[in-house]
Amino acid sequence: MEPKAYLLKEFIEITGAGQDDLELWEKLKLIKPIGYTEEKVAFYSHETLKQVKDIQKLIDLGYQPEDIQKIIKKIGLPNKDKKPNNKLKKGQFLTVGQLAEKVDVSPRTLKHWEDKGILIADMRSEGGFRMYAEYYVYICKLILDLQLFGYSLDEIKTISDHFRDFIIIQEEITTFPKSDTAEKLKVMDDEIVRLLDKTGLLKQGIQRWEDLVKKKKKELSALKNQNLKREEPEVGADNA
């Protein structure tokens, strides 16, 4: 399941904090958004939600935000969950509609790719909005390319799984056992070789079609000129 996140409006409703309070706390670096939508609307993580609740408790005890800033610098906020949430990455995020517009496909197409497991949202807001990191624009264009190459959606699903494993391994080499990592990397390498072979054949085919089209375009131009030079029969000549 993708990590949970909260849009600014949702975050305010859940925490009861005012927007001015959040802006002040962000200015004092007590909290910070995990990312932003394309319209610059802030997103907050579940971890930030807990931080806000801790800040509110200290304010209820009579501390001012500036005092809390000093406390955080010295000892930090109390946090029972010592394990950081590494799944939520900072950056800009897109809704399904925005991603569809950038890739020039319908939201229904993206939904179909999701159902196939080809796409997996980076996070989902409390209101159910699926959000994707900006790099998904590039990934979706690669999916369209693979479809042009004749790959089925099941084959593309396999490639997307390899791609996700690659990102995980690249970010943390110890995520999987050593033997599993070696096997995954070997499978990825084999798939790259297979794809290179296929793209090589496609390049040859494209070159043949380019040569054919260029040749036929010249022949069409010659035929058009030849047709223009034809003399029209005189009116009534057939009745003479």
Side-chain angles (χ1 to χ4, degrees):
M1 182 180 292
E2 62 270 20
K4 179 67 67 67
Y6 307 89
L7 281 166
L8 176 60
K9 184 178 179 181
E10 297 170 336
F11 197 68
I12 290 174
E13 290 176 353
I14 293 172
T15 61
Q19 187 167 347
D20 291 341
D21 293 328
L22 294 178
E23 290 177 356
L24 175 60
W25 298 344
E26 288 176 24
K27 184 178 180 180
L28 294 174
K29 297 183 179 179
L30 303 181
I31 63 171
K32 56 184 176 181
I34 190 64
Y36 298 87
T37 68
E38 197 173 45
E39 292 86 4
K40 306 302 180 185
V41 177
F43 264 96
Y44 299 89
S45 68
H46 187 68
E47 182 182 350
T48 311
L49 178 64
K50 291 188 292 183
Q51 290 173 344
V52 167
K53 290 181 178 179
D54 290 333
I55 291 170
Q56 289 170 324
K57 288 178 182 177
L58 290 172
I59 290 176
D60 290 340
L61 291 173
Y63 290 93
Q64 295 298 315
E66 291 77 10
D67 298 325
I68 298 173
Q69 183 186 41
K70 294 176 183 177
I71 293 173
I72 290 177
K73 285 183 178 179
K74 287 184 178 180
I75 61 174
L77 285 171
N79 186 0
K80 295 180 181 179
D81 184 8
K82 298 298 182 181
K83 187 177 180 180
N85 186 352
N86 294 322
K87 291 184 178 180
L88 286 174
K89 298 180 181 180
K90 297 170 186 170
Q92 189 176 88
F93 293 88
L94 305 170
T95 63
V96 172
Q98 291 166 343
L99 179 59
E101 184 177 355
K102 286 181 175 290
V103 182
D104 196 23
V105 298
S106 70
R108 182 175 293 182
T109 295
L110 296 183
K111 179 63 168 60
H112 185 52
W113 291 350
E114 284 182 341
D115 292 341
K116 286 285 188 178
I118 296 171
L119 298 184
I120 297 178
D122 289 276
M123 59 185 181
R124 185 185 295 270
S125 78
E126 179 72 9
F129 292 98
R130 299 186 305 282
M131 303 301 297
Y132 296 88
E134 207 167 13
Y135 64 76
Y136 261 104
V137 175
Y138 181 69
I139 291 176
C140 287
K141 289 182 178 179
L142 290 179
I143 292 171
L144 293 173
D145 290 339
L146 288 173
Q147 287 184 310
L148 286 175
F149 294 167
Y151 279 74
S152 68
L153 288 181
D154 288 337
E155 290 174 317
I156 295 174
K157 164 68 167 60
T158 299
I159 293 174
S160 70
D161 289 342
H162 293 331
F163 188 80
R164 277 187 284 271
D165 282 345
F166 176 80
I167 291 176
I168 292 171
I169 293 172
Q170 191 175 47
E171 290 179 346
E172 181 51 68
I173 193 70
T174 60
T175 300
F176 304 110
K178 183 176 179 180
S179 58
D180 290 351
T181 298
E183 179 61 26
K184 287 178 182 294
L185 293 176
K186 180 183 182 305
V187 171
M188 292 177 204
D189 196 24
D190 291 343
E191 184 61 39
I192 287 174
V193 172
R194 190 166 75 92
L195 185 57
L196 284 173
D197 290 342
K198 196 162 189 175
T199 54
L201 294 173
L202 285 167
K203 287 177 183 178
Q204 294 176 17
I206 290 170
Q207 186 62 55
R208 282 192 293 271
W209 275 98
E210 285 182 346
D211 294 342
L212 177 64
V213 169
K214 288 176 182 178
K215 179 180 178 182
K216 293 306 174 184
K217 185 172 178 58
K218 289 181 180 179
E219 292 176 356
L220 282 169
S221 180
L223 287 171
K224 287 167 68 176
N225 290 331
Q226 183 180 343
N227 189 54
L228 286 173
K229 293 176 182 179
R230 288 174 58 191
E231 294 184 3
E232 294 288 347
E234 295 182 6
V235 177
D238 292 340
N239 298 326

